Amino acid sequence: MEKTEQFNKKKKTITKTRSFATINDPQNYQYHHQLMQYSNSNNTYGIGFINQINEYHQSFYHGLLPLPICPPLYPKPTLQNVPWKYHNPPLVTSSDAQLQHITATKVLQKQEGLTSRGGYGRRVKDVDQQPLVLARRPDSGGVEGHVITLLANHFPVKFDDSQRIFHYDFDITPRPSKEIARMIKRKLVKDNSILFCGAHPVYDGGKTLYSPVKFQNDKFELFISLPINSQENKQNKKFKLFRVNIRLVSKLDGKELSSFLRNGDGYKLLPQEYLHAMDVVLRESSTAKCITSGRSFYSSSMGDAKDIGNGAVALRGFFQSLRPTQQGLALNVNFSVSAFHESTGVINYLQKRINSLHDLSQREVKCFNDEERKEVENTMKNIRVFVCHRENVQRYRVFCLTKDVTENLWFHDRDGSNLSLVKYFKDQYDYDIQFRNLPCLQVSRSKSCYLPMELCVVCEGQKFLGKLNDEQTSKILKMSCLRPKERKATINQVMAGPLGPTSGDQGNHFKLQVSKEMTRLKGRILQPPKLKLGNGGQTTNLIPSRRDRQWNLLDGHVFEGTRIERWALISFGGSYYQRPNVPKFINQLSQRCEQLGIFLNRCPIVSTQFEPIQLLNNTSLLESKLKKIHRDARNNLQLLICVMERKHNGYADLKRISETNIGVVSQCCLYQNLSKPSSQFLANLALKINAKIGGCTMALFNSLASQIPRILKHDDPVIFMGADVTHPHPFDDFSPSVAAVVGSVNWPAANKYVSRMRSQTHRHEIIQDLTEMVVEILEDFYQELLKFPKRIIFFRDGVSETQFQKVVQEELQAIRAACLKFPGYKPPITFAVVQKRHHTRVFPDENDHASSIRSHFSDENIPPGTVVDTVITHPREFDFFLCSHWGVKGTSRPIHYYILWDENQFTSDELQKLVYNLCYTFVRCTKPISVVPPAYYAHLAAYRGRLYLERSDSSSAVSNKGGCSISRTSPPKATPLPKISENLKNLMFYC
């Protein structure tokens, strides 16, 4: 249940509803001051007061607003019923031979009582499966490459393993907001020093309290009152009472964590609870001073909020997380920027958010049409607002809009009389409602609680969870795009400043010491591979020798060019002055293709079609136009080039129709690039077209088999697979997720990939149809090479560390089940997770004068090929950071590769070289990319699948008797994706 907390403020009553707290908010200062002042003159209540409290509950407490039911983070894990037992080959390990006998069937046995942290103040119990032992690091790290000294934004943390931490359950009734709960905790600790044994416990804002010493009692109950004003009688003070039950849950020992970090017993799990307790300790001070969002903190003291348009502002802040590493515990701190809702009047907010309402205040008839109403309701749902029409400033969470407009709304007063809302506001507050033809905000799921929009203001500090538009995204990126020197200085300022994790004294009470110096470590720079290009039927080679490892095709051809004889062009929009550029563009594109070794017929097979851009709004008419072009090309069209006046939502329909209904590859571009097309623009377009039709840009001169001969053989083909799952935006509670799997189908080049896509349960991260998709890709592989791959190397994108166990348990089984569809086929599998969204950053050490590659500039990124697999990586498990690209803007973010399962027994050098070389084989550009291509292709394919569903009818709500739209209690069955045309499914049309 969602509850409101009331308190005095200059003879006003203020209601707080789970809002973000910031020290810069004067209301919070006033609230805290009055609460502490009241605490000095009022005692906390003992157990004997219980009867009066129960009576007080019945006579005073007002109805509290219910919270929506929160879905679980992910469904309960279940084991797939796979009728086979697969024994692993020996795992790579240097310390213990026991791992060689661990089998998939053994490690999946049930274990009663297994618990893991499921979030602050709550536990998730899992009694279904025992964790797999993830792949261990095969050696002490790689040795290939030039050594370079680096700095990482990991700050070493020392702790006393003899320090016990006492975990208490801290239960407050009725349930307050986190802000009020923290104030209750501070007051109780201050007023009951003897009972708490003089301790300074830390609180996670939920139900967990951690103390460095044991309290006087293992279980006790306290009562605390907070002052409020009664609206009916402002002269009589009343108090709201809270009951606090404190109970000892467990005693946490630091010796297990210390043993884990010392690489003692290699099979024990990380003691998550002790680590979580220390994480709460280091967050305590920042939480009290900043707006908190996940693991990040934001404050205007780090820079004023910036208006990014459409009712959103951007705030600067920092991220922090405690991590186990080879050097021990380390605090990862990084600069962060995030978008928040602008605190402004609701009418003004809606005018900024919704284009069709920008003139709402000037309308003669101020009302919403059906489309506007739906958009307003989606925009306002779950946003917190406060009212400003009375002395009481009260905060609520918006549930929906009322069915009727304001002038038609009536409600029952406390004495049972029926009152008009408009008349009530006039009589009670002497206020004439202006926007009477607009609906009100409904702030209760069950009760009639209406708020006129014009009297509501959006509360500050609310994270903007909707999808940012291009302009907003650009402004956010510009704010967060700090060069290495500036980012490093900002992080150091956080560590030394008044908001950071070392700003409080909580660490001293728990015997924690956080260094304020970044971690200094050694990295290595891998050498770039030699590449193979085409040259008029001949093969040439080059080594990317530039500092940024880029190369050009000015004097060479693509390795494999295609012939495009039958193609057409369709134009959507374009001004009178833009359309004449089309013939010139066709001529320039065909010339640039010819220079690159790609044949593009200079004349389209069908005359160019010029259509208004509004055609993209009409799906049926668009489909008929595209089908007519295809028929005019005798149903044998290879390519459709689409020139668009601007970006348009109809792009999704265009791709879906052309790739599923018609069966033709399409390539889109904008008119703004056609007036004076640069050579680079034409080359990029040509490379994409070539890849989509079946060509490739380059290949490795020395095949992967020749570079890693211990494992890879020229006559034993290997398949590289990638997988990713995309989810709908946060406010979408019904659309399915989309999973995609890609696989290479040529060897030893390994640069052409086929894809398979499936829709699945809303926000389900585990790929549900993985077995079926892998089977189809293996069949395609066999059709190309007439043999199955001897080894499978699988790159999984989009998985967080909390999901490692579940993903490797279920998806590894699914891959094996796919292999067993073919009798006797049991290839060794390497399963690696590719993490892009992490906060580790690595900087060149400016003081490393001995480095031979030290740049002439002090503000440059680490060079491509920089790999780190010591000091800041996991104490024993097989992971490494690789920066394979050159960072042109901002600070380079290395990709974190985490090997969960390795039956191919790679060494560190072998796997790092393999991944780095693959990054040079991406078909769309002439430079190494930041992430290994199989994972990148899977991301592109999953995004394409999302486009296929994007224009579908999204109404998933029904109306209740109060006229509000409510979400489904459970996600609907996933809408299946349309089937890709047979002549496209083996092409890289998704590039």
Side-chain angles (χ1 to χ4, degrees), residues 76 108-116 125-131:
K76 186 178 180 181
L108 292 175
Q109 292 174 347
K110 296 180 181 179
Q111 179 187 22
E112 293 291 335
L114 180 66
T115 60
S116 61
K125 197 154 190 170
D126 184 351
V127 297
D128 285 313
Q129 48 195 7
Q130 179 178 344

Side-chain angles (χ1 to χ4, degrees), residues 137 140 261 324-328 869-876:
R137 192 177 303 280
S140 59
L261 295 171
T325 66
Q326 291 187 32
Q327 67 173 334
D869 58 3
T870 60
V871 184
I872 61 173
T873 51
H874 193 276
R876 283 179 307 282

Side-chain angles (χ1 to χ4, degrees), residues 533-554:
L533 304 175
N535 187 8
Q538 301 297 319
T539 298
T540 61
N541 61 81
L542 66 86
I543 297 177
S545 56
R546 282 176 37 170
R547 185 163 46 95
D548 56 9
R549 300 309 184 204
Q550 296 189 35
W551 67 94
N552 59 59
L553 296 172
L554 295 178

Side-chain angles (χ1 to χ4, degrees), residues 142-148 523-526 865-867 869 909 912:
V143 296
E144 292 190 11
H146 185 90
V147 177
I148 180 176
R524 292 172 292 110
I525 303 175
L526 304 180
T866 301
V867 64
D869 58 3
D909 278 326
Q912 291 161 13

